[in-house]
Each structure stands twice: as structure tokens, then as C-alpha cells.
């Protein structure tokens, strides 16, 4: 199958049409923040589109090719596009993709979901730790450190 050599990625044509029906929540599923919210698909739309186009022998190497098939693709992938999604803040979304990659494989769907839920539980219990922060102190990001054992 030919690779899309246009400046615009094929999946962006899919997202343009699909996003009209997205139901993004008003807060991050993990930390409840209401800023910099993004929609995370457990199934990579890029990966799904590539596999689906190859299986159906569709040429998505041009904008015209993608536009011709995008409604069919969306109708056949309703669950992956609209149901298996989470609203995450940018920080958690970036963190998730740093673990599972830019375009996570379908075999990681369960792992992604477990990670998202584990992060939510950690955040709710106050045991979350934010690594890699360049601002603030460690205690600002971990919450109350009363009763925490120090390791030397």
C-alpha cells in the first residue's frame, strides 16, 4: 500500500469528520483538572486506518483517496473512535504516550486502560508522584509526606 506523501496525514481527514461527534468530558479522567484537555483513543486511529485500508485494498496515499473512504471507516469503527476513549489532560496524555508510544499497538489496549485507572487511583489516594517536573518541590507534587519512610 502506498504511503500518503501529502503534507496532511491521512488520519487527520478521519479525525476532522469524527470529532464532530466526540463527547470529550470537562475534566481529566485521572486528575480532574479542567485545563489542556485532550481525547485519548485506546486504539490508535493511524494504526487502525492503515490496517483497514490494507485489508480492504483502499488507496489512502492521496487526500482524495482518504476522503472517499473516511465515512465508511468511521462507521465501521464506532466503538474504537467514540467509546474506547478517555479525556486526559495534556500532561497525562503525554505521559501515557511516552510509555506506550505515539501509535500504541492494539495489544496494549488493556495495559493502557490499567495504567489510566492505576494513575486515577494513585491520584485519588494522594500517592501519585510527578516525575520530570522542573518547577516546584517534590513535596508539592506528592502531597503530604507525613509518615513517609525515607530511604538512604
Amino acid at each position: 500500500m502506498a504511503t500518503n506523501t501529502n503534507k496532511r496525514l491521512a488520519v487527520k481527514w478521519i479525525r476532522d469528520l469524527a470529532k464532530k461527534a466526540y463527547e470529550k468530558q470537562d475534566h481529566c479522567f485521572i486528575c480532574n483538572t479542567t485545563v489542556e484537555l485532550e481525547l485519548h483513543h485506546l486504539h490508535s486511529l493511524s494504526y487502525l486506518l492503515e490496517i483497514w485500508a490494507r485489508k480492504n485494498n483502499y488507496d489512502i496515499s492521496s487526500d482524495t483517496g482518504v476522503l472517499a473512504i473516511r465515512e465508511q471507516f468511521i462507521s465501521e469503527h464506532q466503538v474504537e473512535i467514540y467509546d474506547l476513549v478517555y479525556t486526559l489532560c495534556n500532561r497525562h496524555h503525554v505521559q501515557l504516550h511516552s510509555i506506550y508510544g505515539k501509535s500504541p499497538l492494539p495489544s496494549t489496549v488493556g495495559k493502557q486502560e490499567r495504567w489510566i485507572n492505576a494513575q486515577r487511583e494513585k491520584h485519588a489516594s494522594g500517592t501519585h508522584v510527578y516525575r520530570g517536573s522542573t518547577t516546584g518541590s517534590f513535596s508539592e507534587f506528592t502531597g503530604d509526606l507525613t509518615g513517609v519512610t525515607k530511604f538512604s
Side-chain angles (χ1 to χ4, degrees):
M1 179 179 67
T3 303
N4 189 328
T5 56
N6 292 339
K7 292 180 183 177
R8 182 162 190 159
L9 296 174
V11 74
K12 289 188 178 184
W13 288 112
I14 303 296
R15 285 190 190 126
D16 282 353
L17 183 60
K19 71 182 177 183
K20 294 175 185 174
Y22 285 159
E23 292 183 17
K24 188 165 63 172
Q25 301 301 308
D26 63 354
H27 62 278
C28 175
F29 182 80
I30 295 172
C31 68
N32 290 318
T33 188
T34 58
V35 297
E36 296 184 333
L37 299 176
E38 303 171 355
L39 199 63
H40 174 70
H41 292 90
L42 292 175
H43 289 270
S44 165
L45 294 186
S46 298
Y47 185 82
L48 283 176
L49 178 61
E50 289 289 328
I51 297 301
W52 180 81
R54 189 177 313 130
K55 177 181 146 196
N56 291 294
N57 202 28
Y58 289 133
D59 181 6
I60 58 169
S61 63
S62 69
D63 292 343
T64 305
V66 176
L67 290 171
I69 57 87
R70 71 179 178 169
E71 289 182 15
Q72 181 183 354
F73 175 81
I74 291 169
S75 72
E76 292 181 22
H77 293 88
Q78 294 281 312
V79 172
E80 294 91 343
I81 294 173
Y82 299 117
D83 298 337
L84 298 176
V85 297
Y86 287 90
T87 300
L88 301 176
C89 64
N90 175 265
R91 184 173 50 83
H92 285 117
H93 198 203
V94 168
Q95 191 176 12
L96 185 146
H97 280 289
S98 74
I99 296 167
Y100 297 103
K102 183 179 178 180
S103 187
L105 296 174
S107 61
T108 68
V109 168
K111 292 176 184 179
Q112 290 178 66
E113 213 160 18
R114 284 189 295 278
W115 182 87
I116 289 168
N117 285 307
Q119 298 310 305
R120 180 182 174 126
E121 288 173 20
K122 286 178 186 178
H123 197 280
S125 70
T127 60
H128 59 285
V129 175
Y130 298 118
R131 293 183 174 85
S133 175
T134 57
T135 60
S137 68
F138 179 77
S139 61
E140 286 177 287
F141 292 104
T142 57
D144 182 15
L145 296 178
T146 306
V148 173
T149 305
K150 284 187 170 183
F151 295 97
S152 42

